[in-house]
Amino acid sequence: MDEKKLLQQLKIKTGACTRLTKEVRAYEQEVTKGTNSIETMRAEGKDPADIAKQEEVLQESVMMVPDAKNRLDKAKQALQAHLALIRDSEHKGPIEETDEWKAAVATLE
């Protein structure tokens, strides 16, 4: 694979990890926010049907957290494999000096 394609794939895989990290964080925040909302609704004596609907929405968010984490783990594994491929290639030196390489390494930390 030539240097340009290696860099392009590196950028794509790094972007996927970054996006999925944000997605996991967003779902976790949504779960926290939903839990707090339900507790507030109960404390205020809101309609049980409204509380049940909020619990349903919360349950959907709770189910998405492991799925998003699984996709993030797979994306990180793909990025690590790509970094290993680059390390074994003839383009290792020039690529390791790029911002894309530094961003990929930072994403995995």
Side-chain angles (χ1 to χ4, degrees), residues 33-47:
K33 182 180 173 186
T35 302
N36 292 339
S37 175
I38 290 169
E39 289 173 5
T40 302
M41 290 174 78
R42 284 189 179 134
E44 294 174 352
K46 297 285 182 175
D47 183 23

Side-chain angles (χ1 to χ4, degrees), residues 26-36 58 61-63 65:
Y27 280 124
E28 290 172 340
Q29 289 173 348
E30 196 173 306
V31 168
T32 302
K33 182 180 173 186
T35 302
N36 292 339
L58 174 63
S61 296
V62 168
M63 290 186 319
V65 172

